[in-house]
Amino acid sequence: MWIKCSDRLPPLEENSGNSENVLVTDGTNVSIGYFLYDAFGDYRCYNEWDLIPTHWMPLPEPPKEE
């Protein structure tokens, strides 16, 4: 389920200072990214396409071998 960035952002991992990897979208593109406080204290999303996300969601569980 997609979560609006304006409603809630992913929590920071305890000792790393950034979020776990998540899926992010700008409404058109989807990328894997993570959130981190930048040098100005802004909570910013870093992702492979440099898109500005409107929504995020946790990564799905990988398939299990049978």
Side-chain angles (χ1 to χ4, degrees):
M1 163 115 357
W2 289 104
I3 301 165
K4 287 176 74 171
C5 291
S6 60
D7 288 347
R8 179 168 53 102
L9 292 172
L12 297 178
E13 288 188 75
E14 202 157 310
N15 294 316
S16 71
N18 62 290
S19 73
E20 291 184 18
N21 286 337
V22 294
L23 290 178
V24 293
T25 184
D26 61 2
T28 303
N29 301 300
V30 175
S31 179
I32 294 177
Y34 64 94
F35 289 80
L36 174 71
Y37 282 106
D38 67 14
F40 301 102
D42 295 322
Y43 201 45
R44 185 178 186 295
C45 180
Y46 294 87
N47 58 79
E48 63 183 330
W49 292 351
D50 251 355
L51 58 86
I52 299 172
T54 57
H55 294 74
W56 67 275
M57 68 184 293
L59 293 176
E61 290 294 319
K64 295 189 180 0
E65 293 289 327
E66 291 185 32

